[in-house]
Amino acid sequence: MKTSWRSASLAAGAVAVLALTTACGQDGGGTQPASQNVGATAAAGGYGGTGIGNSGAGADAGAGTGAKDEQNAAAESAPAGKLGVSVNAELGNVLTDADGRTLYRFDKDTADPAKSNCDGDCATAWPPVPADDASAGAGIDKKLLGEVTRADGTKQLTVDGWPAYRYAKDVNAGDTKGQGVGGTWYALAPDGKKAALADLPGLSTRKDPKLGEIVVDKNGMTVYRFMKDEAWPEPVSNCTGACLENWPVVAPVAADDTKGVQKKGLMSFTRPDGTKQQTVNCWPIYTFSGDNAPGDTNGQGVGGTWYAVAPDGKPIGAPEKE
């Protein structure tokens, strides 16, 4: 006899207990299961490898980690010169260097105070833009330009406090191959914000040609569910430790900052490490570091346990369990 995906997911083994801000589904509790770090013990295929390692957090290990020819290396380390603004059909106004190469920002950096957290292999894949000789071109407020001293003592350009980078895989002027890489790298707008045609709500939906209506986050990145998680009587996440490097949690979103997503069960909860995570219909939700740009669904079906989320919280395409 077949059971529903919801019943199957509730039959998972030992799980990590998470504190709730509000109870989901059923009232009352029951015996709380023991804690387990699934991310550290699951088989390699369980969460999906992306080639993004711990060295230089967020670096695309496939980009810029091998030997480069001298011409490319020189271009990546060259001063920015007079910054410009290019118009991208998908991203709107994008900040570029004097040669038209797209500049990026890293979500794991900070702007106040300015600090770069991209070193080592990360800085090879994402060369920091030197502050030397950088100046504001048309459409750029020169007051937003600054610099930060990196760990190696060099000066890096900042835009409204955000350290600026190039991407090693961007070969031609106007390339934006770094957009959305690892869910942490985004093209810079002239004001230092992430380049975007229009601001998206914290959670919304879009029509995917293969999967139908799916939930996306504020950056347009696909949102996923993990079939080993639980929702009732309270949300439980079994993605911890190493798992979170590939499947970052979605931060809390206000109910009025959503569009097209079911409001019932739309809540956040506190994880064991004290961070808060958003749910849809009480199911914990994540993005995938292997999705490089809005519209990507590379996490769909990974390990037979990760699936894009429908507006009502159901996992799209998840098979029924025997």
Side-chain angles (χ1 to χ4, degrees):
M1 177 183 297
K2 289 188 176 181
T3 57
S4 67
W5 51 267
R6 180 174 294 174
S7 298
S9 64
L10 289 171
V15 291
V17 179
L18 306 177
L20 280 175
T21 56
T22 307
C24 261
Q26 305 170 2
D27 292 329
T31 303
Q32 293 181 330
S35 176
Q36 180 184 13
N37 186 336
V38 175
T41 60
Y47 305 114
T50 64
I52 299 173
N54 293 332
S55 177
D60 179 353
T65 55
K68 295 183 177 66
D69 60 61
E70 293 181 1
Q71 183 177 358
N72 284 345
E76 289 163 6
S77 62
K82 180 175 286 189
L83 304 182
V85 179
S86 68
V87 179
N88 182 281
E90 296 180 353
L91 301 175
N93 290 335
V94 173
L95 190 64
T96 68
D97 65 13
D99 295 323
R101 295 188 66 179
T102 301
L103 303 188
Y104 296 88
R105 51 177 276 181
F106 184 31
D107 275 357
K108 294 184 180 181
D109 287 348
T110 58
D112 187 17
K115 186 179 187 302
S116 168
N117 288 307
C118 179
D119 296 295
D121 289 344
C122 175
T124 302
W126 302 90
V129 177
D132 301 342
D133 195 39
S135 61
I140 302 167
D141 185 351
K142 65 180 180 180
K143 294 179 181 178
L144 295 180
L145 304 185
E147 63 181 37
V148 62
T149 302
R150 295 176 53 78
D152 61 4
T154 60
K155 303 290 186 181
Q156 181 175 359
L157 174 68
T158 62
V159 183
D160 196 26
W162 288 99
Y165 306 82
R166 298 181 178 98
Y167 184 41
K169 284 188 176 180
D170 283 351
V171 177
N172 302 310
D175 284 351
T176 56
K177 296 176 182 178
Q179 175 68 12
V181 167
T184 54
W185 290 93
Y186 297 95
L188 271 165
D191 60 0
K193 294 182 172 58
K194 298 175 185 178
L197 281 175
D199 291 334
L200 291 175
L203 288 176
S204 59
T205 64
R206 70 170 180 83
K207 188 75 171 180
D208 184 85
K210 294 182 179 179
L211 303 177
E213 202 75 13
I214 63 174
V215 179
V216 298
D217 72 359
K218 63 182 179 181
N219 297 312
M221 305 302 289
T222 303
V223 166
Y224 298 89
R225 262 190 53 186
F226 184 34
M227 298 302 288
K228 295 182 181 180
D229 285 350
E230 295 189 9
W232 297 284
E234 54 190 33
V236 176
S237 168
N238 273 313
C239 180
T240 59
C243 172
L244 295 175
E245 295 178 11
N246 287 339
W247 303 94
V249 304
V250 175
V253 174
D256 60 2
D257 190 25
T258 66
K259 183 178 181 180
V261 181
Q262 177 178 296
K263 294 294 193 291
K264 180 182 177 182
L266 188 67
M267 56 167 288
S268 64
F269 65 96
T270 304
R271 297 176 55 84
D273 62 3
T275 61
K276 292 185 179 294
Q277 182 174 3
Q278 182 64 34
T279 73
V280 174
N281 195 21
C282 299
W283 290 99
I285 56 174
Y286 312 78
T287 54
F288 182 42
S289 62
D291 285 345
N292 293 326
D296 286 353
T297 55
N298 298 322
Q300 177 67 6
V302 167
T305 53
W306 292 93
Y307 296 92
V309 178
D312 61 0
K314 293 182 180 179
I316 298 172
E320 292 185 348
K321 303 294 184 180
E322 297 292 341

